[in-house]
Amino acid sequence: MEASVAVEEAEEEIHADIEGEDVGLLIGRHGQTIDAIQLIAYQAAFRGRQDRKRVSVDAAGYRRRQGESLRRRADLAAEDAIRHGQAVEMDPMGSNDRRVIHEHLRDRPEIETYSEGDEPNRYVVVAPLVSD
């Protein structure tokens, strides 16, 4: 496989973007392969170090597209929770996807999010905040 990797380092994150032919193979089923590559990159970058930051790896824009889809689903869950006044349980997902949901909905004052369940069936709950 021929591919190029562009790495950018910011204050809170190191991001690697992989582009090339057939890089879809790096994504794997439901993103499992790219999640494993990301974990290995994190462990290699910060082995034995105390000062750590998040490492993200994307291939052919997969994480960007996945993030957009997750944010849309999070917005729908938030609207349902507010409309019906009940908590909405989202489908089980990995920790990276749960983080996207929590971060996206963090600034909405009318709801709260939290995770429940045990891996690999851990999921996000989007609940309306009850006013006094």
Side-chain angles (χ1 to χ4, degrees), residues 1-7 14-38 55-67 96:
M1 170 185 312
E2 281 196 37
S4 62
V5 180
V7 178
I14 298 172
H15 178 77
D17 217 351
I18 305 169
E19 293 292 337
E21 290 189 36
D22 296 327
V23 294
L25 296 171
L26 295 176
I27 296 167
R29 185 172 180 230
H30 301 294
Q32 290 176 328
T33 304
I34 199 164
D35 286 346
I37 291 168
Q38 183 170 291
V55 172
S56 66
V57 177
D58 194 1
Y62 169 78
R63 291 231 191 263
R64 179 186 47 76
R65 290 188 309 276
Q66 182 72 0
N96 292 327

Side-chain angles (χ1 to χ4, degrees), residues 54-98:
R54 187 176 346 179
V55 172
S56 66
V57 177
D58 194 1
Y62 169 78
R63 291 231 191 263
R64 179 186 47 76
R65 290 188 309 276
Q66 182 72 0
E68 290 169 359
S69 174
L70 287 168
R71 286 187 286 278
R72 281 192 304 271
R73 289 173 36 207
D75 287 335
L76 290 173
E79 295 307 318
D80 282 350
I82 293 166
R83 183 180 314 111
H84 300 295
Q86 295 180 348
V88 173
E89 296 178 357
M90 299 187 74
D91 293 333
M93 60 187 76
S95 61
N96 292 327
D97 292 346
R98 290 194 310 271

